[in-house]
Amino acid sequence: STMFELNESSFDPITFVLTGIPGMEESHIWISVPFCLMYITAVFGNSVLLFVIITDRSLHEPMYLFLAMLAVADLMLSTTTVPKMLAIFWFSAREISFDACITQMFFTHFSFIVESSVLLAMAFDRYVAVCDPLRYSSTLTPSVIGKIAVTAVVRGFCIMFPPIFLLKRLPYCGHNVMPHTYCEHMGIARLACADIKANVWYGLTTALLSSGLDVVLITVSYALILRTVFRLPSPEARLKTLSTCGSHLCVILMFYMPAFFSFLTHRFGHQIPSHIHILLANLYVVVPPMLNPIVYGVRTRQIRDRVVRLFCPTGECPCPSWGSRC
């Protein structure tokens, strides 16, 4: 009878406690300042980018539509995680219900998978534009772009739907303290008092076959782009394309490296100090969303001109380097 009661209680929905960054509780207020500024920049930048692309019909081209998709994924990824992180830092609001934790986990990983899919689509877009420009308009038609968007969403949903049940089936035996600032799949699974091999292998397999495969294909795309670029006769054209590709690759690295570091640390890196792990896990949900509108948006002349026109409709603007009318 007692054993039955214990098993029953272990399956009850519990409230998790997110501790923030382990060992750095005294510094939470100071750590919150850059994260808050980065989050505000990310929300503002992506919202402006989205508004400009949606309202200007001349920007309804493949490259800009992919940018709009990236902005939506960035807003979802940062907004799913950062507000709760700041609530922990500022108000010690550490508690989160089991269902809210599962929901946050779902949307965090779902947004990451969608963003990874969009980055792959953008790499393909650049590959066709540079390596096969004559077939660009016939390859990336509106229906193809629509199918890519739907595929990214369906792919994210299909990968992240099973972990909901993989986590709900586990008993937690009252273990509810999670040394993190937000809920992620393996962070929750590690609190269980049962075998979590299914969670480990599912997470490893899907990560390698989704984001891992995306990284390989993005690398191949940019390698082919660079091969074509080095054959260009004009040094100016070479330099311009290399500058654009270089900034894109930097943002892509900033997105994948902390994410894969966090993912691998959960499974193999037990020697890594937990505060380093959690800080890096926090970086990939806020730094790429902050940088993407700047690198992909402001560096693109058409978008830069529209943004200048949006904020300086009279043409009088204290930013002379931003556009021809300013």
Side-chain angles (χ1 to χ4, degrees):
S1 173
T2 311
M3 193 64 176
F4 175 76
E5 283 169 19
L6 179 66
N7 281 343
E8 281 295 297
S9 66
S10 69
F11 280 86
D12 284 345
I14 55 175
T15 299
F16 288 125
V17 177
L18 294 162
T19 63
I21 301 170
M24 299 185 75
E25 288 82 3
E26 298 297 314
S27 309
H28 275 175
I29 284 288
W30 299 107
I31 294 167
S32 74
V33 175
F35 278 103
C36 181
L37 292 174
M38 286 190 285
Y39 177 61
I40 291 166
T41 307
V43 170
F44 178 75
N46 285 294
S47 300
V48 168
L49 191 64
L50 210 50
F51 177 78
V52 165
I53 293 169
I54 289 169
T55 55
D56 194 325
R57 289 191 67 80
S58 69
L59 295 178
H60 292 184
E61 298 289 326
M63 184 174 79
Y64 304 114
L65 293 174
F66 288 136
L67 273 178
M69 291 179 213
L70 191 68
V72 171
D74 278 336
L75 285 168
M76 197 188 303
L77 181 63
S78 55
T79 303
T80 302
T81 51
V82 181
K84 179 62 183 174
M85 186 196 304
L86 294 176
I88 295 166
F89 291 163
W90 290 341
F91 312 115
S92 296
R94 295 188 169 94
E95 292 193 348
I96 185 168
S97 71
F98 182 77
D99 288 335
C101 196
I102 295 287
T103 304
Q104 188 185 46
M105 179 276 302
F106 174 86
F107 280 106
T108 302
H109 295 312
F110 169 80
S111 311
F112 181 86
I113 295 162
V114 170
E115 180 150 346
S116 182
S117 305
V118 174
L119 287 171
L120 174 60
M122 289 172 75
F124 176 68
D125 169 80
R126 291 299 84 210
Y127 164 74
V128 178
V130 173
C131 302
D132 200 0
L134 297 177
R135 295 177 63 183
Y136 183 78
S137 54
S138 61
T139 305
L140 287 156
T141 60
S143 71
V144 168
I145 292 161
K147 284 171 188 168
I148 288 170
V150 170
T151 303
V153 171
V154 170
R155 180 197 195 199
F157 183 82
C158 289
I159 290 171
M160 285 319 300
F161 195 62
I164 295 172
F165 299 99
L166 285 173
L167 290 170
K168 278 185 174 281
R169 76 188 170 90
L170 293 170
Y172 293 90
C173 308
H175 301 158
N176 68 339
V177 178
M178 200 185 308
H180 211 310
T181 53
Y182 59 87
C183 298
E184 55 180 8
H185 176 212
M186 285 310 299
I188 303 170
R190 291 215 173 280
L191 296 177
C193 51
D195 184 29
I196 58 165
K197 278 198 184 109
N199 298 70
V200 172
W201 285 109
Y202 182 82
L204 190 62
T205 308
T206 53
L208 291 175
L209 293 178
S210 59
S211 303
L213 185 62
D214 292 349
V215 170
V216 171
L217 294 173
I218 287 168
T219 306
V220 169
S221 293
Y222 277 100
L224 293 170
I225 288 167
L226 289 173
R227 192 184 68 172
T228 305
V229 166
F230 285 121
R231 290 176 178 172
L232 293 173
S234 161
E236 290 83 8
R238 273 204 302 270
L239 198 63
K240 187 181 174 186
T241 313
L242 281 172
S243 169
T244 305
C245 287
S247 57
H248 288 192
L249 285 170
C250 284
V251 173
I252 288 166
L253 284 172
M254 273 303 300
F255 179 66
Y256 284 113
M257 281 177 68
F260 281 137
F261 179 86
S262 172
F263 167 79
L264 292 169
T265 301
H266 262 309
R267 287 155 182 83
F268 313 111
H270 303 300
Q271 309 304 318
I272 306 281
S274 56
H275 64 278
I276 300 288
H277 171 205
I278 306 307
L279 271 172
L280 281 167
N282 288 339
L283 284 182
Y284 86 80
V285 298
V286 72
V287 174
M290 176 191 71
L291 291 178
N292 285 340
I294 299 165
V295 171
Y296 291 107
V298 174
R299 285 177 64 94
T300 309
R301 188 178 55 80
Q302 291 88 334
I303 287 179
R304 189 168 65 240
D305 291 347
R306 300 308 186 283
V307 171
V308 168
R309 207 176 299 162
L310 181 67
F311 290 105
C312 323
T314 60
E316 294 172 10
C317 190
C319 47
S321 63
W322 265 52
S324 55
R325 298 204 312 153
C326 280

